Amino acid sequence: MNLLILGATGRTGREVTRVALARGHHVTVYVRSPNKLGPERASLRVEQGDALDTERLSAALVGQDAVVSALGLPAKLALRPSNFMAEAAAATVAAMKRAGVGRLAIVSAAVLFPQKGFFYAFFRWFLRHHACDLSAMETVVRATDLDWTIARPPRLVTGDDEPLRIAQGALPDKSYKLSFRALASFLVECVEQRRYGGQIVGLAR
Ligand SMILES: NC(=O)c1ccc[n+]([C@@H]2O[C@H](COP(=O)([O-])OP(=O)(O)OC[C@H]3O[C@@H](n4cnc5c(N)ncnc54)[C@H](OP(=O)(O)O)[C@@H]3O)[C@@H](O)[C@H]2O)c1
């Protein structure tokens, strides 16, 4: 499969890149800072550009089968009001339509589930600005006729691949954290096997 990855220099995106290469896919990364790529750079097609640049992104998307988007904001910015995630999703969707690419798996967050309890309530408050931006991002994606999947993981941590619990439209019970690698495996399998189309999925270890 020809796969384009957004956010490939980030913690999730780096793992998505490694998983996709290990599974034999032809991987293109669309990044603004190619110097941040690791040794896997030699096995990649690298396109440089900003995620908000629809023109450049659509040119990079020609001939691709699917997109995995693991874009994010640095913690400092995610705690302030922003509409980057929503704007980047709008640019991604427009570029995919222009290039004729139909399959998208995109990372959102478990904080959007209305889970009960102090733990979840605290993070909903703490991450309220980012959650608002992610909610707008999801609205953009859900309004398209693309074959999309929105993954909502809990807190992400460094670690090996691990078995996943997946729930459609809900957060699995006691979902507190998950490895970047396990999320990456889910995202790649999702586009590869065309699973969970048109669904928001909650994930947990
Ligand atoms: N981390 C967690 O615990 C956690 C938990 C749940 C959900 N999530 C969600 O998972 C997603 C990814 O998180 P992460 O921790 O992997 O993010 P990250 O490490 O901060 O990586 C973000 C990626 O987005 C790229 N990016 C940002 N602005 C860009 C722009 N204008 N143009 C092109 N690329 C741009 C960054 O590129 P540069 O390297 O050039 O900056 C980087 O590759 C986020 O949306 C977050 O909401 C994260």
Side-chain angles (χ1 to χ4, degrees):
M1 185 172 65
N2 293 325
L3 180 64
L4 184 136
I5 300 168
L6 292 167
T9 50
R11 291 166 295 178
T12 306
R14 228 175 279 147
E15 296 292 350
V16 175
T17 306
R18 290 182 190 136
V19 170
L21 286 173
R23 295 173 80 102
H25 298 300
H26 298 285
V27 180
T28 300
V29 296
Y30 180 87
V31 293
R32 59 179 174 180
S33 332
N35 58 312
K36 288 191 187 173
L37 291 166
E40 58 275 8
R41 181 178 179 161
S43 313
L44 300 169
R45 180 179 138 204
V46 180
E47 296 287 342
Q48 185 168 14
D50 192 282
L52 301 177
D53 187 340
T54 309
E55 198 77 33
R56 239 177 211 277
L57 181 54
S58 56
L61 277 166
V62 173
Q64 301 293 334
D65 299 309
V67 175
V68 171
S69 178
L71 290 169
L73 283 172
K76 207 169 59 179
L77 296 181
L79 295 178
R80 296 185 200 149
S82 167
N83 47 18
F84 169 73
M85 299 302 292
E87 286 183 358
T92 302
V93 163
M96 287 178 69
K97 285 192 174 166
R98 208 181 288 182
V101 183
R103 182 74 178 108
L104 170 69
I106 189 164
V107 182
S108 181
V111 71
L112 293 185
F113 286 119
Q115 225 67 10
K116 288 199 173 86
F118 175 77
F119 176 87
Y120 296 107
F122 171 76
F123 281 102
R124 265 200 302 278
W125 169 79
F126 186 63
L127 296 170
R128 61 195 179 284
H129 296 305
H130 192 50
C132 188
D133 194 8
L134 288 173
S135 177
M137 174 192 89
E138 290 194 358
T139 301
V140 168
V141 172
R142 291 167 68 182
T144 67
D145 52 8
L146 296 174
D147 182 10
W148 55 264
T149 302
I150 294 171
R152 290 183 179 176
R155 186 163 74 91
L156 294 165
V157 294
T158 305
D160 293 333
D161 211 345
E162 56 189 350
L164 262 186
R165 289 181 293 140
I166 303 165
Q168 296 173 12
L171 192 63
D173 198 30
K174 296 188 174 139
S175 172
Y176 299 115
K177 55 185 174 180
L178 182 70
S179 71
F180 290 104
R181 175 61 73 112
L183 171 60
S185 296
F186 171 80
L187 294 165
V188 174
E189 277 173 30
C190 203
V191 292
E192 202 181 65
Q193 295 162 22
R194 293 200 164 256
R195 297 181 71 195
Y196 303 106
Q199 291 183 41
I200 293 176
V201 292
L203 305 172
R205 61 166 42 154

